């Protein structure tokens, strides 16, 4: 699998996916940082304001509760007692002004002595009524955060008021002291965001090969259209043997329900041989498999890039029709060869009969001719009487001629029964033709009796076909393996030779038809195929 070329970023042609990702990450992170700093600033300003308010309120209430202040306010501040008290409190608490006044707002103290005796600038109505005033107000000393509290005579009537405030400049100075930690946190977050964005950009650039979004989309659309329109099945596997992609044809040939992406090959319900072929580390070329009644040709290659194993690419082709046509062509050739053999033997018999007559033995010639005709007619009568399927009749007569030429005795049970419509013509040729061919091959080179017996009987709800031979048989340890694709006991039956398909195809066809297959022997081999009969009984 070749590595896609890295496309350079072209000015004016758009930014690569990596560049877009970096830009979006940076914008998002710095947007979050800015929003966080804004929220932190508002929180800090509110906290500073609340602390300043709490401070001036505590100072004002403390002054209002001072006995000397209460006595001086009740008597109208004789001798200017309140001025030094208020200024001493202001300096010791760090506030900007402490003003003591009458209930009507006439000042008894002020940081600016010129303001003493004048009316207080601000709201005092709520305090004069016994409450508390908290406000931001611009007075004689400029904008400030201030409070006004009442002075009560032994918890009785309001005899005066106390106002304490901190200038806005002082409040802002306190807020400025809160900003450096916030800005430092924002700077650290920005540095981390820049580093993270750089790492993300490198990773995305490496994974996308520096391609732009439009290029990736076009590549995906093109590849998706190609993968799902090709007539071959295509399966992409990762190094762990999990399916990354399976196109439509692969799903059809492998009979996969739904999208198998992400699933292990062993979990797809495929035959063990097919699972092994797809998931092992070997390279496969034109590997034959039988699955779900189809003959599949599998090729597999490893996918690597820069020495890294990316998995495997598996292609699957359907060779079922070709195998069936090949089988039918072989049957037709067999029939033609049988006819040629019969013509050759008929010529020999004719010459024999003519020679007997010329030698003056006409009775011997008649005996010879009638004997050959009787043997051939008996087989024809058995086949025509018990077989209602013309395809099977022709197949058996052809196989009988082939067996005679190969020196094998093919014995057809006189009680043979095969109803019409039991299976399609292709399935009949696949099942019976392959079983008889295997039996003929098994006994053709054997010593002693070379015989193949064929019978079919009605068991009520099913039909049993039995093909037995006098060959070497199939050992118990091989009875399961002979049903696997590619395994053959014949010479030259190594993988890839094209052998080992017939019996596997028979087994798969029988299972598809709802039947079963059983193998017995040695001595000899006995293959019994059971197929269901429609209606629960035959004729």
């Amino acid at each position: 699998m070749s590595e896609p070329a890295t496309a350079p970023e072209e000015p004016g042609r758009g930014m690569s996916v990596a560049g877009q990702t970096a830009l979006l990450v940076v914008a998002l992170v710095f947007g979050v940082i800015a929003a966080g700093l804004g929220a932190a600033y508002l929180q800090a300003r509110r906290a500073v304001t609340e602390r300043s308010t709490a401070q001036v309120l505590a100072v004002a209430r403390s002054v209002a509760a001072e006995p000397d202040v209460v006595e001086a306010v009740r008597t109208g501040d004789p001798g200017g007692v309140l001025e030094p008290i208020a200024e001493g409190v202001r300096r010791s608490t760090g506030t900007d002004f402490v003003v003591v006044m009458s209930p009507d707002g006439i000042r008894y103290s002020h940081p600016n002595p010129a303001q003493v005796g004048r009316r207080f600038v601000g709201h005092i109505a709520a305090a004069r009524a016994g409450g508390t005033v908290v406000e931001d107000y611009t007075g004689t000393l400029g904008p400030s955060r201030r409070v006004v509290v009442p002075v009560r005579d032994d918890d009785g009537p309001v005899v005066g008021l106390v106002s304490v405030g901190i200038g806005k400049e002082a409040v802002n100075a306190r807020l400025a002291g809160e900003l450096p930690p916030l800005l430092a946190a924002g700077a650290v977050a920005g540095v981390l965001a820049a580093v993270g964005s750089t790492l993300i950009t490198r990773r995305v650039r490496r994974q996308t090969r520096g391609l732009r979004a439009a290029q990736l989309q076009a590549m995906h659309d093109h590849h998706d259209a190609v993968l799902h329109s090709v007539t071959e099945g295509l399966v992409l596997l990762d190094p762990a043997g999990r399916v990354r992609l399976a196109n439509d044809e692969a799903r059809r040939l492998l009979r996969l329900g739904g999208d198998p992406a992400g699933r292990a090959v062993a979990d797809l319900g495929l035959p063990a041989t097919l699972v092994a072929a797809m998931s092992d580390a070997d390279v496969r070329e034109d590997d034959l498999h039988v699955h779900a009644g189809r003959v599949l040709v599998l090729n597999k290659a490893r996918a690597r890039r820069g020495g890294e194993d990316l998995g495997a690419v598996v292609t699957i082709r359907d060779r079922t029709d070709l195998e069936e046509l090949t089988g039918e062509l072989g049957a037709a050739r067999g029939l033609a060869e049988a006819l040629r053999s019969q013509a050759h033997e008929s010529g020999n018999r004719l010459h024999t009969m003519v020679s007997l007559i010329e030698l003056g033995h006409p009775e011997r010639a008649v005996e010879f001719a009638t004997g050959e005709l009787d043997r051939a007619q008996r087989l024809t009568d058995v086949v025509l009487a018990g077989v209602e399927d013309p395809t099977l009749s022709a197949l058996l007569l052809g196989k009988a001629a082939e067996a005679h030429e190969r020196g094998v005795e093919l014995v057809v049970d006189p009680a043979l029964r095969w109803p019409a419509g039991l299976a399609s013509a292709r399935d009949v040729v696949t099942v019976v033709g392959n079983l008889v061919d295997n039996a003929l091959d098994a006994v053709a080179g054997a010593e002693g009796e070379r015989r193949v017996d064929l019978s079919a009987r009605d068991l009520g709800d099913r039909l049993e076909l039995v093909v037995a031979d006098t060959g070497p048989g199939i050992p118990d340890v091989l009875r399961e393996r002979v049903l696997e694709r590619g395994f053959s006991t014949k010479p030259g039956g190594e993988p890839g030779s094209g052998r080992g398909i017939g019996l596997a195809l028979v087994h798969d066809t029988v299972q598809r038809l709802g039947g079963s297959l059983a193998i017995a022997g040695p001595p000899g081999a006995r293959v019994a195929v059971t197929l269901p009969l429609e209606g629960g009984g035959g004729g």
Side-chain angles (χ1 to χ4, degrees):
M1 181 179 294
S2 59
E3 179 180 357
T6 301
E9 296 183 21
E10 303 175 26
R13 294 288 300 278
M15 188 180 296
S16 68
V17 173
Q20 293 182 25
T21 303
L23 184 61
L24 291 175
V25 168
V26 169
L28 176 62
V29 171
F30 278 94
V32 171
I33 292 175
L37 288 176
Y41 172 78
L42 294 177
Q43 180 67 22
R45 187 175 68 177
R46 182 165 53 251
V48 168
T49 301
E50 290 175 354
R51 288 198 302 270
S52 299
T53 302
Q55 178 187 3
V56 296
L57 185 60
V59 172
R61 287 174 176 172
S62 175
V63 172
E66 178 68 31
D68 292 342
V69 174
V70 174
E71 179 64 25
V73 170
R74 187 174 57 243
T75 60
D77 188 25
V81 174
L82 295 176
E83 178 71 19
I85 294 176
E87 284 303 298
V89 171
R90 180 182 68 82
R91 286 190 295 269
S92 64
T93 58
T95 54
D96 288 326
F97 64 85
V98 176
V99 176
V100 182
M101 68 192 89
S102 68
D104 295 330
I106 302 301
R107 301 187 185 97
Y108 294 138
S109 67
H110 193 277
N112 182 4
Q115 297 294 329
V116 175
R118 295 183 179 182
R119 186 172 297 278
F120 178 76
V121 179
H123 300 93
I124 62 173
R128 188 166 52 195
T132 300
V133 176
V134 179
E135 65 179 350
D136 291 325
Y137 199 85
T138 302
T140 58
L141 298 177
S144 64
R145 183 70 171 175
R146 63 173 62 180
V147 298
V148 182
V149 299
V151 179
R152 296 180 180 274
D153 184 9
D154 296 332
D155 296 330
V158 175
V159 296
L161 303 174
V162 175
S163 176
V164 180
I166 297 179
K168 281 295 184 178
E169 291 184 359
V171 174
N172 292 336
R174 293 182 181 182
L175 178 59
E178 301 285 340
L179 293 181
L182 297 179
L183 296 177
V188 172
V191 171
L192 294 177
V195 173
S197 175
T198 301
L199 296 177
I200 292 174
T201 302
R202 289 180 179 177
R203 180 177 178 84
V204 174
R205 185 182 301 277
R206 184 169 60 252
Q207 292 178 336
T208 61
R209 307 290 187 269
L211 296 174
R212 297 187 298 275
Q215 291 176 313
L216 287 176
Q217 182 177 1
M219 182 184 297
H220 172 271
D221 294 342
H222 174 73
H223 288 182
D224 187 69
V226 170
L227 290 175
H228 291 284
S229 62
V230 295
T231 57
E232 286 190 0
L234 177 65
V235 181
L236 303 183
L237 304 175
D238 65 13
R242 291 186 298 268
V243 178
R244 299 183 63 183
L245 181 144
N247 69 352
D248 299 339
E249 183 67 5
R251 297 181 198 178
R252 184 185 72 85
L253 295 178
L254 297 178
R255 300 290 180 90
L256 302 178
D259 188 358
R263 297 167 59 189
V265 174
D267 298 334
L268 299 180
L270 302 176
T273 55
L274 193 54
V275 171
M278 294 178 66
S279 57
D280 62 20
D282 297 337
V283 174
R284 305 275 179 163
E285 293 185 3
D286 295 335
D287 211 2
L288 294 180
H289 295 267
V290 178
H291 173 56
R294 312 199 74 83
V295 179
L296 306 178
V297 180
L298 182 144
N299 287 271
K300 185 179 71 174
R302 304 304 300 181
R304 289 184 171 83
R305 183 184 70 242
E308 178 186 1
D309 184 11
L310 302 180
V313 179
V314 179
T315 58
I316 302 170
R317 301 194 308 274
D318 187 0
R319 208 171 107 173
T320 305
D321 293 338
L322 178 59
E323 287 291 326
E324 291 180 346
L325 290 174
T326 301
E328 292 179 3
L329 178 59
R333 287 178 175 174
L335 289 175
E337 186 65 21
L339 292 174
R340 185 197 62 77
S341 299
Q342 284 183 329
H344 185 267
E345 288 191 2
S346 296
N348 290 336
R349 295 189 188 105
L350 182 59
H351 283 297
T352 300
M353 289 185 291
V354 170
S355 298
L356 287 173
I357 293 173
E358 289 178 346
L359 293 174
H361 300 287
E363 69 285 353
R364 296 278 303 274
V366 172
E367 181 183 354
F368 177 78
T370 54
E372 289 297 320
L373 287 174
D374 182 62
R375 184 186 64 80
Q377 190 61 44
R378 280 199 308 271
L379 177 61
T380 302
D381 291 342
V382 168
V383 172
L384 294 180
V387 179
E388 299 177 8
D389 190 327
T391 302
L392 181 57
S393 299
L395 178 65
L396 292 179
L397 292 175
K399 293 301 178 184
E402 180 183 350
H404 183 70
E405 183 183 13
R406 297 175 68 176
V408 178
E409 182 182 6
L410 176 61
V411 179
V412 179
D413 185 3
L416 176 72
R417 294 292 180 270
W418 189 284
L422 180 63
S424 67
R426 281 189 172 184
D427 290 337
V428 169
V429 171
T430 297
V431 175
V432 181
N434 277 293
L435 292 181
V436 173
D437 283 341
N438 286 343
L440 293 177
D441 291 340
V443 301
E447 297 181 358
E449 182 182 19
R450 294 187 291 180
R451 172 173 168 167
V452 175
D453 293 292
L454 186 145
S455 64
R457 57 175 180 159
D458 185 351
L459 301 180
D461 61 344
R462 61 192 187 281
L463 182 136
E464 183 184 52
L465 169 70
V466 178
V467 178
D469 62 67
T470 59
I474 301 174
D476 293 345
V477 294
L478 298 180
R479 288 182 187 173
E480 293 296 330
R481 294 202 62 194
V482 294
L483 300 180
E484 298 176 1
R485 65 96 203 151
F487 179 80
S488 177
T489 58
K490 301 174 185 178
E494 64 277 356
S497 64
R499 290 188 178 273
I501 294 295
L503 198 53
L505 195 56
V506 169
H507 180 251
D508 203 76
T509 302
V510 169
Q511 284 191 325
R512 177 168 49 81
L513 295 175
S516 61
L517 184 148
I519 301 175
R526 182 181 185 274
V527 181
V529 171
T530 302
L531 298 175
L533 288 170
E534 294 184 3

